[in-house]
Structures are given as structure tokens and as C-alpha cells.
């Protein structure tokens, strides 16, 4: 392959190795997922004290639980004695404490060491000093976010700042009252593709006319190839004959009361780096969390959130769920078709971005900056 200069309208992507090299993925785990705010769970999944879930964040297993005071706590899921994994289940519930299955060191919901064989004969062992190691935790939008960094970055700048950069102000998302909505449906996808391919796909709509017939029927402007995220504050408008954000354009469910008039009949998409997608429509919110597993595998957990009475009454949400479930499956199929090409000799130096994808170039610059890759 001979190298040629790119036309002014195109810019280069990351090289193929960025999507296939386990060494690069390990660097991303260390310098991105283990240093930034990472969204792990819907707070309502931890319904009462003792409920817990475990998550892999970067290279670490993290235990998230609700304490006796109803606050959320997060810890490294590692026993302080000999390093055994404390909780081996993905989710569950304990009454008052977590007990290591290896040597029975036991910790209360606040992480304090409360029992261990022969512990009374070791009075110099500090119950707090040898308790579980805490991880920074925040609740926002009804979700639990953790940060493994010793000195976490500002949540307001790193997370809320992404919303402001996309929508223009934080009030635009607060009107959807996401923390008080209920999960009407959750679907977990196992995607055989690098996490960056999924991010890039979500950020652009150059592919929409090709693979999203249902979505472009509801949002006709997407057929022109410009994603809503291309413009600050812009929401894609529903088609003239479309009644709701459903697979057939039929009427949706009860509108979220706080949604402003200028947000009605519009779709907003937001990327919160490194692993959250938020989709806003008048009657529901679609909230994705990505869990990168390996260089070529990513788990995506997607919640459809509605007003509580919609969920409690058992109303049929299937038409709204089906629309974005189809979009997800179409997108993830595309990402899985792309992943093998990242190993091709033809992609060794990467591909190109067209003008409507140029904002993805900024994402690539951000990845390189986090990894300490010098600008070319």
C-alpha cells in the first residue's frame, strides 16, 4: 500500500491495532476506565440494605451495595486477608455482612472488618484499617457511578459537563426527571466488538439510511446522515405523521411532565465518555451502559425508563422498546462486521471520516490524549 495525502474533506481514523491489540486495551483499562467516572448500576437495582451487584471496572472487580443508612457504598471486591474475591456472584443480597468464602473474614455493609477466625487473639488488627477498601461513588440520574482513582476527577466537570456540552445546559436533561423513572425493560447485549467501535457508531448517523429503516421513518432527518450529536442543543424532530417514538410511529405512552414544549416530539442523544449513552424522547429515556470485557468484546446493558405509573400499571411498552432494540441490534451487527476488518492489513493505518463524522475525530484525539499518544 502506498501512502497518499487525504483530501481536505476527509480525516484519518485510529489505526486498526487500536481495536485489536490487547496491550492497547490494557492501557485503556488503566488510563480510562480506572481513572474516570464509570456508570455501573441503576440505584433501584439495590433496593434495600444488603443488596449488592459486582462489576468489572477496568481490571478490577468492584462490589456495590446499599448500606444500613440506605446510602450506596462501593468497594474493591477483594478480601484484605489473602486477596480472594469476596463476592463471586454478579448480584445477590446479604443480611448484615459479606463473608469471604476462603477464610471467613467478614465485613459489614460499611466495609468494616467485624469478624474473622481468632480475630480476638489479634487485638492489634484495626477493624477499619483492615476493612474493605472504598471506591468513590456518586448517584446521579438514578444511576450509580464509581471512580477507582485515588483522587477522582470532578464529577461536575467530567460527567455533568458532557451533558452541558451536548445539550447546552444541565436543566435540559433534568426536565426528564430520570432519577424518578422506573425500568420498564432491560436488555443485555453481548457484542463481539471493541468498545470504541460501539461509541463511534452511536455518535454518527452516516449509516442510518443504510441500516436503520425504522429509525429514519420516525426521524426523517437522520436519513441525511447527520446525527443529532453533531449539533449542540439539537434534537432530531419526529416525522410529520409520526405520533410517538415507537417501531411503527404510533402513539407512545404518557409524556414526562417536565419535558419542555421545545423538547416535545424530539429525540436527543448524548454520549458520556467513556461508556454511557443517553437517549431522550418525550415519554421515555433509553440509558445504555457499556462494560468493556476484552479488546473485541463488550457487554451493553440497556434500560428503557418510563413514568412509574406506566410501569406499575402494566401498560404495553413493547412498541417503544422494539424500536430501539432493533436499532441496537442493527448497530451491534454492524460493529461485529467491522471488528474483523480492524485486523486487515488494509486497515493497518486506519480508515477515513467523512465531514458528517468529523466529531468522531475529536473522540479519537481524546482517546490518544488519555493514552499519552503524541499527535501525529
Amino acid at each position: 500500500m502506498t501512502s497518499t495525502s487525504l483530501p481536505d474533506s476527509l480525516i484519518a481514523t485510529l489505526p486498526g491495532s487500536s481495536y485489536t491489540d490487547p496491550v492497547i486495551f490494557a492501557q485503556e483499562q488503566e488510563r480510562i476506565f480506572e481513572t474516570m467516572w464509570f456508570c455501573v448500576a441503576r440505584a433501584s437495582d439495590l433496593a434495600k440494605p444488603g443488596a449488592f451487584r459486582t462489576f468489572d471496572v477496568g481490571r478490577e472487580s468492584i462490589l456495590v451495595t446499599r448500606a444500613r443508612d440506605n446510602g450506596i457504598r462501593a468497594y474493591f471486591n477483594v478480601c484484605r486477608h489473602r486477596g480472594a474475591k469476596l463476592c463471586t456472584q454478579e448480584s445477590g443480597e446479604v443480611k448484615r455482612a459479606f463473608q469471604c468464602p476462603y477464610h471467613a473474614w467478614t465485613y459489614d455493609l460499611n466495609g468494616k472488618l467485624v469478624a474473622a477466625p481468632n480475630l480476638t487473639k489479634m487485638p492489634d488488627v484495626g477493624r477499619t484499617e483492615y476493612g474493605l477498601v472504598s471506591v468513590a461513588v456518586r448517584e446521579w440520574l438514578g444511576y450509580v457511578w464509581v471512580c477507582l482513582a485515588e483522587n477522582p476527577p470532578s464529577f461536575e466537570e467530567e460527567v455533568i459537563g458532557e451533558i452541558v456540552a451536548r445539550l447546552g445546559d444541565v436543566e435540559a436533561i433534568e426536565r426528564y426527571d430520570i432519577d424518578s423513572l422506573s425500568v420498564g425493560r432491560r436488555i443485555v447485549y453481548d457484542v463481539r466488538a471493541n468498545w470504541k467501535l460501539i461509541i463511534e457508531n452511536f455518535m454518527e448517523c452516516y449509516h442510518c439510511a443504510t441500516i436503520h429503516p425504522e429509525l429514519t421513518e420516525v426521524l426523517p432527518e437522520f436519513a441525511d446522515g447527520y446525527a443529532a450529536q453533531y449539533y449542540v442543543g439539537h434534537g432530531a424532530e419526529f416525522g410529520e405523521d409520526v405520533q410517538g417514538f415507537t417501531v411503527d410511529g404510533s402513539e407512545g405512552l404518557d409524556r414526562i411532565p417536565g419535558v419542555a414544549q421545545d423538547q416535545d416530539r424530539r429525540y436527543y442523544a448524548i454520549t458520556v465518555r467513556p461508556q454511557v449513552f443517553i437517549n431522550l424522547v418525550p415519554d421515555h429515556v433509553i440509558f445504555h451502559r457499556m462494560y468493556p470485557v476484552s479488546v473485541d468484546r463488550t457487554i451493553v446493558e440497556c434500560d428503557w425508563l418510563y413514568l412509574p405509573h406506566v410501569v406499575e400499571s402494566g401498560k404495553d411498552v413493547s412498541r417503544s422498546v422494539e424500536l430501539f432494540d432493533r436499532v441496537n441490534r442493527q448497530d451491534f451487527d454492524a460493529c461485529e462486521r467491522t471488528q474483523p476488518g480492524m485486523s486487515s492489513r488494509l486497515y493497518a493505518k486506519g480508515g477515513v471520516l467523512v465531514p458528517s463524522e468529523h466529531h468522531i475525530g475529536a473522540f479519537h484525539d481524546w482517546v490518544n490524549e488519555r493514552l499519552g499518544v503524541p499527535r501525529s
Side-chain angles (χ1 to χ4, degrees):
M1 296 287 292
T2 57
S3 61
T4 58
S5 59
L6 290 176
D8 291 342
S9 58
L10 301 178
I11 63 174
T13 68
L14 294 171
S17 59
S18 196
Y19 306 86
T20 62
D21 189 339
V23 173
I24 293 176
F25 181 70
Q27 292 172 344
E28 292 169 344
Q29 289 179 304
E30 177 185 0
R31 301 176 192 179
I32 295 178
F33 307 127
E34 294 176 18
T35 63
M36 299 183 68
W37 288 98
F38 192 101
C39 186
V40 290
R42 183 75 178 164
S44 59
D45 292 343
L46 306 167
K48 59 183 181 180
F52 71 86
R53 287 188 69 182
T54 59
F55 303 91
D56 290 333
V57 180
R59 300 160 298 176
E60 301 286 354
S61 177
I62 302 301
L63 168 64
V64 182
T65 190
R66 190 174 293 277
R68 308 301 301 178
D69 63 1
N70 268 331
I72 300 290
R73 305 286 192 275
Y75 308 103
F76 286 92
N77 187 23
V78 178
C79 180
R80 297 298 307 280
H81 172 220
R82 296 270 295 282
K85 180 175 281 190
L86 186 63
C87 290
T88 56
Q89 297 175 297
E90 291 184 0
S91 63
E93 186 178 320
V94 296
K95 288 187 177 180
R96 294 187 176 275
F98 297 99
Q99 186 176 84
C100 179
Y102 192 7
H103 295 95
W105 278 41
T106 305
Y107 308 86
D108 68 15
L109 301 182
N110 289 317
K112 184 179 178 181
L113 176 64
V114 293
N118 305 317
L119 185 60
T120 56
K121 297 179 180 178
M122 298 176 280
D124 57 333
V125 176
R127 304 298 183 92
T128 300
E129 181 184 359
Y130 284 89
L132 297 178
V133 176
S134 296
V135 171
V137 63
R138 285 284 299 265
E139 285 188 65
W140 191 55
L141 303 178
Y143 283 87
V144 178
W145 310 67
V146 300
C147 183
L148 277 56
E150 199 168 322
N151 297 299
S154 165
F155 189 87
E156 286 69 25
E157 292 179 11
E158 190 169 272
V159 177
I160 299 177
E162 292 265 44
I163 305 292
V164 173
R166 166 67 185 94
L167 298 180
D169 56 57
V170 72
E171 290 78 13
I173 197 169
E174 290 176 343
R175 297 188 190 109
Y176 291 82
D177 201 16
I178 297 174
D179 57 346
S180 71
L181 301 181
S182 295
V183 179
R185 187 73 57 82
R186 172 173 293 163
I187 298 177
V188 179
Y189 307 88
D190 191 335
V191 188
R192 297 289 175 167
N194 184 270
W195 69 280
K196 295 188 295 299
L197 290 177
I198 299 173
I199 289 265
E200 294 160 14
N201 174 279
F202 187 75
M203 291 178 71
E204 55 93 357
C205 211
Y206 191 48
H207 67 277
C208 287
T210 307
I211 71 172
H212 294 320
E214 300 89 355
L215 185 64
T216 52
E217 280 290 323
V218 175
L219 305 172
E221 69 180 69
F222 276 11
D224 294 330
Y226 284 91
Q229 294 191 76
Y230 195 74
Y231 310 98
V232 175
H234 177 71
E237 191 169 5
F238 292 4
E240 188 175 337
D241 298 325
V242 170
Q243 294 179 284
F245 197 72
T246 57
V247 71
D248 55 3
S250 58
E251 187 176 359
L253 297 150
D254 294 353
R255 175 179 159 183
I256 299 168
V259 173
Q261 193 64 41
D262 62 357
Q263 293 174 308
D264 194 20
R265 293 183 55 78
R266 288 187 178 272
Y267 161 86
Y268 297 86
I270 307 157
T271 301
V272 181
R273 296 172 293 188
Q275 44 81 249
V276 170
F277 307 143
I278 307 172
N279 306 274
L280 309 172
V281 292
D283 65 328
H284 64 282
V285 171
I286 308 163
F287 201 104
H288 298 70
R289 296 172 304 292
M290 292 196 313
Y291 306 97
V293 177
S294 64
V295 71
D296 58 359
R297 183 179 173 218
T298 309
I299 301 296
V300 183
E301 191 169 273
C302 183
D303 292 342
W304 280 259
L305 307 169
Y306 303 86
L307 290 169
H309 73 263
V310 169
V311 176
E312 291 163 7
S313 66
K315 287 187 177 181
D316 184 9
V317 301
S318 61
R319 285 177 295 118
S320 59
V321 170
E322 185 177 353
L323 174 57
F324 224 85
D325 181 42
R326 286 195 192 183
V327 171
N328 281 338
R329 293 180 191 279
Q330 291 157 352
D331 280 339
F332 299 153
D333 283 348
C335 293
E336 290 182 339
R337 287 195 303 272
T338 303
Q339 181 66 39
M342 300 298 97
S343 299
S344 170
R345 70 184 70 180
L346 297 180
Y347 211 81
K349 294 184 179 179
V352 295
L353 300 169
V354 302
S356 64
E357 301 173 305
H358 275 205
H359 57 301
I360 296 175
F363 169 65
H364 292 168
D365 289 342
W366 173 83
V367 169
N368 282 334
E369 183 179 356
R370 300 290 307 197
L371 300 187
V373 177
R375 287 179 177 271
S376 55

